[in-house]
């Protein structure tokens, strides 16, 4: 019945948001319109697709009332080195939300935000104790 799930994040600046996720390693796979300022961009990483949709287009074209900022959803990115990833993306300008910390004695987690305030969890498995 269903296939190919993805998450759509709303943004007031689709170009800025798409560029941010591209810097994290996502590859653009879809853009509307193909030329000029986009109203929607899809990006993929390891088979996972994330969409960035324009707040104005979502409201005007679909009749929805998207909330363009805040912690409405979280993107989770697994890594082999949470600390190094956190230091890199925050040095590149991503807002820091929570420094790397151990959770449940088996994960090392840090939190950053994308340009629209959506939280991104950077997480790695820790060796068993």
């Amino acid at each position: 019945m269903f296939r190919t799930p993805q998450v759509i994040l709303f943004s007031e600046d689709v170009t800025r948001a798409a560029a941010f996720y591209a810097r994290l390693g996502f590859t653009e796979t879809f853009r509307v319109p193909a030329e000029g300022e986009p109203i929607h961009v899809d990006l993929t990483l390891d088979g996972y697709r994330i969409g960035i949709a324009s707040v104005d287009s979502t409201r005007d074209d679909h009749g929805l009332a998207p909330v363009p900022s805040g912690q409405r959803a979280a993107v989770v990115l697994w890594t082999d080195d949470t600390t190094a990833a956190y230091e890199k993306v925050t040095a590149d300008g991503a807002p820091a939300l929570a420094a790397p910390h151990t959770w449940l004695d088996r994960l090392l987690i840090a939190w950053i935000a994308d340009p629209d305030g959506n939280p991104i969890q950077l997480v790695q498995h820790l060796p068993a104790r």
Side-chain angles (χ1 to χ4, degrees):
M1 177 183 279
F2 299 106
R3 63 180 170 76
T4 319
Q6 80 179 78
V7 170
I8 302 290
L9 301 175
F10 301 115
S11 179
E12 297 194 86
D13 189 338
V14 173
T15 299
R16 178 193 67 194
F20 173 83
Y21 283 96
R23 287 191 303 274
L24 295 179
F26 283 78
T27 301
E28 185 175 313
T29 57
F30 176 80
R31 175 182 286 251
V32 174
E35 301 290 326
E37 187 66 28
I39 60 170
H40 185 105
V41 172
D42 284 350
L43 302 106
T44 60
L45 177 66
D46 284 343
Y48 178 76
R49 180 181 292 206
I50 189 169
I52 310 295
S54 159
V55 169
D56 291 341
S57 173
T58 303
R59 183 186 59 244
D60 298 344
D61 297 342
H62 305 291
L64 301 178
V67 178
S69 64
Q71 298 179 354
R72 302 165 317 279
V75 174
V76 177
L77 298 175
W78 287 87
T79 180
D80 293 329
D81 189 338
T82 293
T83 301
Y86 175 82
E87 289 172 358
K88 166 96 173 79
V89 295
T90 56
D92 288 345
L97 299 179
H101 58 279
T102 302
W103 188 58
L104 301 177
D105 292 327
R106 61 182 176 201
L107 300 173
L108 184 63
I109 293 175
W111 291 88
I112 62 166
D114 75 9
D116 295 299
N118 295 301
I120 299 173
Q121 181 186 76
L122 308 175
V123 59
Q124 80 179 75
H125 288 284
L126 293 174
R129 293 182 183 199

